Amino acid sequence: MLCGTCAAPGTFALEPRPLPQTAPEGWVLVDIDAVGLCGTDFHIFEGKHPFLAYPRVIGHELSGHVAQTAAGWPKGRPVVINPYLSCGTCIACRKGKPNCCTDIAVLGVHRDGGMCARIAVPAGNLYDATGLPEGAAVLTEFLAIGAHAVRRAAPQRGDAVLVTGAGPIGLGTALFARARGAKVHLRDASAARLQAAAGFGFADLHGVEDLLPPDGFDVVFDATGNARAIQAGFAHVAHGGTYCLVSVVKDDITFSDPEFHKREMTLMGSRNATDEDFAAVMQALRDGTVDAARLISETLPLADLPARFPALVANREALIKVVVKIGGQA
């Protein structure tokens, strides 16, 4: 099979590897149908990801079908893959937070991912995708990132919410904050991203130079992946409000301690997602709360990706989600 591999920053190619025929006890072989390209993949290509060693087979937004009956999963069952492999025994896992396991291994980041025809994953990392709209399963993981952030920050109905960064993760965050009844504002330097957000019915859209409400926001989410933007966001949190950092950067983040205490601000990180978040997203896709078809900007075959990857990275502002079709390639 051919595997989409970043050998080094700026270098992406399809490398041949044997098609897996067996899986460890309790694991399941999955034939990959589609892979979503993510900001993480773009950062890997650019050499900006803080937790990655090269070479790496990318791909963590994954949908497919069970290749062989195993561990209670019947052959042919459509599945979504949770790419966060946790140890099950550390302090985070014992507290029901495997998304921030101390020894986490994320497919496509800490270990090779699913940009290939077949992959083995633990049975507990699979979700039944039966009944999802066509093409929607591959969107589940990236939407779960935003759903998890919203669940952590817990905006209430009527709260003023600011999402800074209107890329795919920010847009997903905004969709789930709105579903909770919050009044959502989106801010981005890209007019194209704000225009895309308008297509989902968001009206309170702001460029980086626009004036924002002087009282601030009950909840601010950062989804920019930009240290300067993260630091600037502290000023937009209302007194008594919450700042949730969804994006991750290599840099140190600093803020004014007097302002932080004066506002009695809550600062939190949000990492990955849990079973609860995957379930919430899949329900939202099934009932139409989230329009899957509108999220997909382009679908392309794996064979075209090496030639297209640099342009996709360069033009990411014009994209919501690019989906790579794998199918039965071997």
Side-chain angles (χ1 to χ4, degrees):
M1 65 180 181
L2 296 176
C3 301
T5 306
C6 270
T11 302
F12 179 84
L14 301 183
E15 297 186 351
R17 296 191 182 184
L19 183 73
Q21 300 294 336
T22 60
E25 183 71 24
W27 289 50
V28 179
L29 291 174
V30 176
D31 287 334
I32 300 298
D33 293 331
V35 183
L37 284 181
C38 170
T40 296
D41 301 312
F42 297 151
H43 288 156
I44 291 170
F45 184 82
E46 294 172 317
K48 296 180 180 179
H49 198 285
F51 303 128
L52 185 123
Y54 298 89
R56 179 64 66 225
V57 178
I58 64 169
H60 62 277
E61 299 179 6
L62 307 170
S63 66
H65 288 75
V66 174
Q68 301 173 7
T69 297
W73 287 93
K75 180 179 179 179
R77 178 66 55 84
V79 292
V80 167
I81 295 176
N82 179 335
Y84 321 128
L85 278 58
S86 57
C87 72
T89 59
C90 73
I91 185 171
C93 289
R94 295 197 306 271
K95 291 185 175 181
K97 297 181 178 181
N99 57 300
C100 56
C101 168
T102 61
D103 195 30
I104 198 166
V106 180
L107 297 177
V109 179
H110 304 96
R111 62 186 295 163
D112 285 339
M115 190 70 76
C116 55
R118 181 177 291 177
I119 191 171
V121 295
N125 283 64
L126 298 181
Y127 306 109
D128 189 344
T130 302
L132 285 180
E134 184 176 358
V138 71
L139 305 175
T140 304
E141 190 276 340
F142 99 82
L143 289 169
I145 299 292
H148 180 72
V150 170
R151 183 165 64 84
R152 274 186 55 70
Q156 303 301 302
R157 180 169 296 279
D159 277 355
V161 166
L162 174 65
V163 179
T164 303
I169 298 299
L171 182 57
T173 302
L175 288 168
F176 284 95
R178 184 173 66 182
R180 289 177 68 107
K183 181 175 176 57
V184 177
H185 296 243
L186 282 132
R187 192 183 199 205
D188 202 289
S190 168
R193 284 183 169 174
L194 294 176
Q195 183 178 7
F200 289 83
F202 292 103
D204 295 307
L205 306 172
H206 309 276
V208 294
E209 302 300 327
D210 294 350
L211 293 177
L212 296 174
D215 288 338
F217 296 86
D218 300 296
V219 182
V220 176
F221 296 93
D222 179 87
T224 64
N226 181 283
R228 290 180 61 188
I230 292 172
Q231 293 182 168
F234 282 87
H236 303 304
V237 181
H239 282 237
T242 297
Y243 194 13
C244 182
L245 305 184
V246 190
S247 59
V248 59
V249 296
K250 287 185 175 181
D251 313 76
D252 291 338
I253 301 299
T254 62
F255 57 90
S256 166
D257 185 66
E259 283 295 323
F260 177 77
H261 276 84
K262 183 173 72 175
R263 300 171 192 228
E264 198 179 53
M265 186 190 305
T266 298
L267 175 63
M268 62 173 59
S270 180
R271 188 179 188 195
N272 301 328
T274 65
D275 291 348
E276 182 177 348
D277 306 307
F278 277 85
V281 168
M282 294 173 78
Q283 182 57 43
L285 290 167
R286 288 188 175 101
D287 64 24
T289 300
V290 174
D291 184 350
R294 186 179 289 274
L295 288 167
I296 299 175
S297 302
E298 181 180 350
T299 301
L300 69 156
L302 178 61
D304 290 357
L305 187 57
R308 293 287 313 282
F309 210 142
L312 293 172
V313 173
N315 298 320
R316 72 186 78 176
E317 288 185 7
L319 306 168
I320 299 177
K321 183 57 56 180
V322 174
V323 173
V324 180
K325 291 295 291 181
I326 307 293
Q329 296 196 35

